[in-house]
Amino acid sequence: MTTRQDCLALDAADPLAPLREHFDLPDDLIYLDGNSLGVLPRATPARVQQVVREEWGRDLIQSWNTAGWIDLPQRVGDKIARLIGAGAGEAVAADSTSVNLYKVLMAASHIARQDQPARRVIVSERSNFPTDLYIAESLARELGWTLRLIEPEEVEAALTHDVAVLMLTHVNYRTGRMHDMAAVTRAAHAAGALVVWDLAHSAGAVPVDLRGADADFAVGCGYKYLNGGPGAPAFVWAHPRHADRFWQPLAGWMGHAAPFRFTPDYQPAPGIARYLCGTPAVIAMSALDCGVDTVLAAEPLGGMAALREKSIALTTLFADLVEARCAEHGISVVSPREAALRGSQVCLARAEGAYAIVQALIARRVVGDFRAGDAQTPDILRFGFTPLYTRHVDVWDAVEQLVQVMASGEWREARFHQRAAVT
Amino acid sequence: MTTRQDCLALDAADPLAPLREHFDLPDDLIYLDGNSLGVLPRATPARVQQVVREEWGRDLIQSWNTAGWIDLPQRVGDKIARLIGAGAGEAVAADSTSVNLYKVLMAASHIARQDQPARRVIVSERSNFPTDLYIAESLARELGWTLRLIEPEEVEAALTHDVAVLMLTHVNYRTGRMHDMAAVTRAAHAAGALVVWDLAHSAGAVPVDLRGADADFAVGCGYKYLNGGPGAPAFVWAHPRHADRFWQPLAGWMGHAAPFRFTPDYQPAPGIARYLCGTPAVIAMSALDCGVDTVLAAEPLGGMAALREKSIALTTLFADLVEARCAEHGISVVSPREAALRGSQVCLARAEGAYAIVQALIARRVVGDFRAGDAQTPDILRFGFTPLYTRHVDVWDAVEQLVQVMASGEWREARFHQRAAVT
């Protein structure tokens, strides 16, 4: 079995190890929650201060021109495009994932209504991230459509003649299960449906090739693997064949062809810029820009392919060690063991105590998170492995701490069972 | 006529003068563009650094609980409520003004469709801020409704039996003309229409009493008179009689009754919280919080009533001085001269050269902005007077610089005619 010494040797030989230097991570912390909130890049505080003190405080409105505030959404979008297999000019950073999902679902529904009006169903997974389902449910209500929820293995069978849009999250937020984007998109297109991908747990975590998969629309999150900070702006992508076909309904002035001409009638900008709405969140988007840079810093070292290789090594090691050392404590791995089916996270389950075990680990400075189960699914302990800053030795130490939490029985202490507002 | 000495005496006697100390304003600058982008509060850089370095960098996800990130939208919303005549729990800070306008227009349209289905018209002003018109136009397209644009003096006559929603900006962004919110709302209700107010140029600038006026919905901007920073989150308010009646369609997880229960079906939170959508923009919203505090700092000094009194003094002084000293240079005041009809800004016009004159003033460190006219309206020079940090002597000096720009003819220099991307 892999020893701690082996892990140190793997880290010493890791060509991606220098990327950790781009982050300001507390020394004593093993942070396995970058799939919830990425850590602070070292460059961010100074950049944010510059934006606040100089661009805003000193230069005020002229920074729209001199600091390039006006095309920040495009510049950050172009950087993100490099991580998701999209071209320059095809993505923008804007709003939240939920808001962007509304835009692209509306666009997809309009295209479907024009091209195939008999199709009035959106298909998604019951275990999709809830906000995706809420937005789709809401839009279905508005349009008089149906939202049909299925299990992940039912996707192909669900692509019936009435399906207008298949909306999936590439990597499931609870289980870490990853869809084969190219195969699913191909099947959906063969069945006559458009595909909307949520890349919240993919962008910056696993290779994504939207153009290669011939996807239709995508949205994603800025504050997870892109390290953009809490509540960072999200991003939105539309395949160029669709981008100009439809006004998305959040037709704010920043999506206008000439926002500063102040004409009373809307003329959508060409391409993805029409997916912008209000004034860009300059401070937040500057932080996101620094976060995206931390992922782009991997490009000379092999980019997303190299990050994926390390991610698989880390998640495989974690799953192996947990199975070898924690099975006796009733802990099992619920994420797929086949690497190709797994994103950059590993989820564990235990018949009881999942919440308290996560809290006890946090008290030992190993940060994962808890996601409650329901009638069908167990409570889970969720661990994300960001290959930019997570080391092999962190994986080993995290499992060691988990073993100690279980062996000592300390997770049974009352203090670890008190639920916080946000869990 | 008022002299510079008089202005210095007015400033010395001004009980609101200490409020200027809350801002970090370049010494040599006369900033009359707080209606476009408010200046940097002195407290903001440290607060933003604390959020970035400590709450995010050090404490990471636990800050959702320990730093109260999760209810930032409500806490900032409650502060804003104090400035707009709303109660605690009635407003939230979220998203952009454009996105929030979509939410409330959708809500208003649903209420109208339930209560008075024959009404299918949204009325607004042709000179409303374009993004408001674009959002309304888009929504009208979605619903098969009509957007009817009128002139400000035609409001009452336009309230015909088919009007579902009257959507107005309280203070016009170009002319500074202010509607009588109570009277217009009364007239709209008498005619059976709901009223949506955009407070972009009102909140923090003029007294607003949404409950007193019995308004239905309101949205507003965080980066103008609330000093929240470039692209700051906006705010949204719904009268409690409406808040629970309808799901707004941007039904993201933060508007769910129990966001962290991760249930697949949407249960809207009670009250205004259902107008939240995605994850709050924590860094940006913390900056907005500091900005709102600068306005609340006036509360012990008389609050919005005292700020309004000073605002009227400043705008009246500016208009008087311009009329006395600049008429000979072909410059006229286009904002209403009656104070009750005017927000906290004064707009000027000249048959030619408005853009270049604004540029020449900026070169002299007097910052206003330019707004292009059209077939019906002239190009304008726009000046906002934020009573929190603008002094009487600034008004005098700004007019003196304008006189010099005109008398010297320097505005004719080619360099002042080069158009920037954002004007």
Side-chain angles (χ1 to χ4, degrees):
Chain A
M1 199 169 78
T2 308
T3 65
R4 190 169 195 277
Q5 206 55 44
D6 296 334
C7 290
L8 290 169
L10 288 167
D11 291 327
D14 176 10
L16 301 182
L19 296 173
R20 185 175 162 95
E21 294 306 310
H22 292 284
F23 296 92
D24 202 1
L25 197 54
D27 277 339
D28 65 335
L29 193 71
I30 298 177
Y31 189 70
L32 304 178
D33 211 4
N35 49 339
S36 179
L37 174 65
V39 305
L40 173 64
R42 223 176 262 287
T44 304
R47 171 74 181 275
V48 168
Q49 278 306 85
Q50 184 196 13
V51 171
V52 169
R53 286 191 185 275
E54 296 172 26
E55 297 181 10
W56 173 19
R58 185 191 65 200
D59 299 336
L60 288 150
I61 52 155
Q62 71 180 2
S63 289
W64 285 107
N65 292 305
T66 56
W69 287 352
I70 194 62
D71 54 13
L72 251 183
Q74 282 90 345
R75 280 186 285 128
V76 177
D78 280 352
K79 288 184 179 182
I80 294 170
R82 285 152 61 181
L83 303 174
I84 57 175
E90 294 181 11
V92 285
D95 297 316
S96 66
T97 309
S98 304
V99 168
N100 289 333
L101 192 61
Y102 186 82
K103 298 173 189 169
V104 300
L105 275 183
M106 269 291 191
S109 75
H110 267 259
I111 289 167
R113 280 185 281 175
Q114 278 175 20
D115 295 351
Q116 306 189 83
R119 293 174 178 262
R120 298 158 63 89
V121 172
I122 301 170
V123 167
S124 193
E125 277 179 60
R126 194 181 321 281
S127 62
N128 200 343
F129 189 69
T131 207
D132 295 50
L133 300 182
Y134 304 157
I135 294 287
E137 181 185 0
S138 168
L139 182 133
R141 280 164 64 111
E142 287 295 317
L143 299 180
W145 282 24
T146 302
L147 172 63
R148 189 176 294 156
L149 300 184
I150 57 163
E151 302 306 317
E153 58 277 8
E154 297 167 348
V155 169
E156 295 220 12
L159 292 167
T160 46
H161 61 90
D162 54 353
V163 176
V165 181
L166 174 64
M167 173 189 84
L168 293 174
T169 298
H170 183 218
V171 176
N172 185 277
Y173 82 106
R174 291 185 88 256
T175 63
R177 180 179 171 136
M178 182 165 68
H179 285 289
D180 179 336
M181 183 180 284
V184 171
T185 303
R186 200 158 45 237
H189 286 178
L194 296 163
V195 191
V196 172
W197 289 102
D198 181 344
L199 305 177
H201 292 266
S202 310
V206 298
V208 175
D209 188 2
L210 289 168
R211 290 301 291 273
D214 198 35
D216 296 295
F217 295 95
V219 300
C221 178
Y223 57 79
K224 298 180 188 291
Y225 293 97
L226 297 183
N227 308 308
F235 64 88
V236 53
W237 171 85
H239 193 288
R241 70 173 165 263
H242 299 310
D244 287 332
R245 281 195 62 185
F246 174 65
W247 283 22
Q248 57 85 16
L250 295 170
W253 67 318
M254 287 295 152
H256 193 280
F260 292 91
R261 216 169 286 155
F262 296 98
T263 60
D265 58 314
Y266 188 69
Q267 294 294 333
I272 195 66
R274 68 178 60 187
Y275 284 78
L276 298 176
C277 182
T279 305
V282 170
I283 300 172
M285 209 168 293
S286 301
L288 172 59
D289 194 25
C290 294
V292 175
D293 282 344
T294 64
V295 189
L296 293 176
E299 282 188 343
L301 304 172
M304 286 309 308
L307 289 170
R308 174 65 172 162
E309 192 181 339
K310 180 172 174 186
S311 158
I312 289 174
L314 295 172
T315 54
T316 302
L317 176 62
F318 184 76
D320 287 347
L321 288 171
V322 167
E323 291 197 338
R325 303 186 63 196
C326 303
E328 66 179 297
H329 299 295
I331 293 176
S332 60
V333 174
V334 295
S335 298
R337 289 305 318 259
E338 190 182 334
L341 299 180
R342 190 175 68 225
S344 201
Q345 74 185 67
V346 177
C347 297
L348 310 180
R350 189 174 187 280
E352 65 161 330
Y355 179 79
I357 296 165
V358 167
Q359 297 309 308
L361 278 171
I362 291 172
R364 287 172 169 270
R365 305 290 284 155
V366 177
V367 177
D369 62 28
F370 165 79
R371 289 291 176 260
D374 55 27
Q376 282 98 47
T377 58
D379 289 352
I380 60 165
L381 302 83
R382 192 175 72 147
F383 301 93
F385 298 84
T386 305
L388 291 169
Y389 51 77
T390 307
R391 298 167 299 199
H392 297 78
V393 73
D394 296 325
V395 172
W396 204 95
D397 289 345
V399 176
E400 171 63 22
Q401 295 297 322
L402 177 57
V403 169
Q404 292 186 25
V405 161
M406 300 312 298
S408 69
E410 71 196 47
W411 66 274
R412 296 184 190 276
E413 292 172 25
R415 64 184 170 128
F416 296 134
H417 293 259
Q418 285 157 11
R419 295 288 176 113
V422 179
T423 58
Chain B
M1 198 168 77
T2 307
T3 65
R4 191 169 193 276
Q5 206 56 44
D6 297 334
C7 290
L8 289 170
L10 287 167
D11 290 328
D14 175 11
L16 301 181
L19 296 173
R20 185 176 162 95
E21 293 307 309
H22 292 285
F23 297 91
D24 203 1
L25 197 54
D27 278 338
D28 64 335
L29 194 71
I30 299 177
Y31 189 68
L32 304 178
D33 211 4
N35 50 338
S36 179
L37 175 64
V39 304
L40 173 64
R42 222 176 262 287
T44 303
R47 171 73 180 277
V48 167
Q49 277 306 85
Q50 183 196 13
V51 171
V52 170
R53 285 191 186 275
E54 297 173 25
E55 298 181 10
W56 172 20
R58 185 190 65 198
D59 300 336
L60 288 152
I61 52 155
Q62 70 180 2
S63 288
W64 285 107
N65 293 304
T66 56
W69 287 353
I70 193 63
D71 54 12
L72 251 183
Q74 282 90 344
R75 281 186 285 128
V76 177
D78 281 351
K79 288 185 179 182
I80 294 171
R82 286 152 61 182
L83 302 174
I84 57 176
E90 293 181 11
V92 285
D95 297 316
S96 67
T97 309
S98 303
V99 169
N100 288 334
L101 193 60
Y102 186 81
K103 298 173 190 169
V104 300
L105 276 183
M106 269 290 192
S109 75
H110 267 258
I111 289 167
R113 280 186 281 175
Q114 276 174 22
D115 296 351
Q116 307 189 82
R119 293 173 178 264
R120 298 159 63 88
V121 172
I122 301 170
V123 167
S124 193
E125 277 178 60
R126 194 180 321 281
S127 61
N128 200 344
F129 189 68
T131 207
D132 296 50
L133 300 182
Y134 304 157
I135 294 287
E137 181 185 2
S138 168
L139 183 134
R141 279 164 64 112
E142 288 294 318
L143 300 180
W145 282 25
T146 302
L147 172 62
R148 191 175 293 155
L149 300 184
I150 57 163
E151 301 306 317
E153 57 279 8
E154 297 167 347
V155 170
E156 296 221 12
L159 293 167
T160 46
H161 59 91
D162 54 352
V163 176
V165 181
L166 174 64
M167 174 188 84
L168 293 174
T169 298
H170 184 216
V171 176
N172 186 278
Y173 82 106
R174 291 184 88 256
T175 62
R177 180 178 172 137
M178 182 165 68
H179 286 288
D180 180 336
M181 182 181 285
V184 170
T185 303
R186 201 158 45 237
H189 286 178
L194 295 164
V195 190
V196 172
W197 289 103
D198 181 343
L199 305 177
H201 292 266
S202 310
V206 299
V208 175
D209 187 2
L210 288 169
R211 291 300 291 272
D214 198 34
D216 296 295
F217 295 95
V219 299
C221 177
Y223 57 78
K224 298 180 188 291
Y225 293 98
L226 297 183
N227 308 308
F235 64 87
V236 53
W237 171 84
H239 193 287
R241 70 174 165 261
H242 299 310
D244 287 331
R245 281 194 61 186
F246 174 65
W247 284 23
Q248 56 85 15
L250 295 169
W253 66 320
M254 288 294 152
H256 193 279
F260 291 92
R261 215 169 287 156
F262 296 99
T263 60
D265 58 314
Y266 187 69
Q267 294 294 333
I272 195 66
R274 69 179 58 188
Y275 283 79
L276 298 175
C277 183
T279 305
V282 170
I283 300 172
M285 209 171 291
S286 301
L288 173 59
D289 194 25
C290 294
V292 175
D293 282 344
T294 63
V295 190
L296 293 177
E299 282 188 343
L301 304 172
M304 286 308 308
L307 289 170
R308 174 64 173 161
E309 193 181 336
K310 181 172 172 186
S311 158
I312 289 174
L314 295 172
T315 53
T316 301
L317 174 63
F318 184 76
D320 287 348
L321 288 172
V322 167
E323 291 197 340
R325 303 186 63 194
C326 303
E328 67 178 296
H329 298 295
I331 292 176
S332 60
V333 174
V334 293
S335 299
R337 289 305 318 258
E338 189 182 336
L341 300 181
R342 188 175 70 226
S344 202
Q345 74 184 68
V346 176
C347 296
L348 311 180
R350 189 174 187 280
E352 65 161 331
Y355 180 80
I357 296 165
V358 167
Q359 298 309 309
L361 277 171
I362 291 171
R364 287 173 170 267
R365 304 290 285 155
V366 176
V367 178
D369 62 27
F370 165 79
R371 289 291 176 260
D374 55 26
Q376 281 98 48
T377 59
D379 288 352
I380 59 165
L381 304 82
R382 192 175 72 145
F383 301 93
F385 298 84
T386 304
L388 290 169
Y389 51 77
T390 307
R391 298 166 300 198
H392 297 80
V393 72
D394 295 327
V395 172
W396 204 95
D397 289 345
V399 176
E400 171 63 23
Q401 295 297 323
L402 178 57
V403 168
Q404 291 188 24
V405 162
M406 300 312 299
S408 68
E410 72 197 47
W411 66 274
R412 297 183 189 277
E413 293 172 26
R415 63 185 170 127
F416 296 133
H417 293 258
Q418 286 158 9
R419 294 288 177 115
V422 180
T423 57

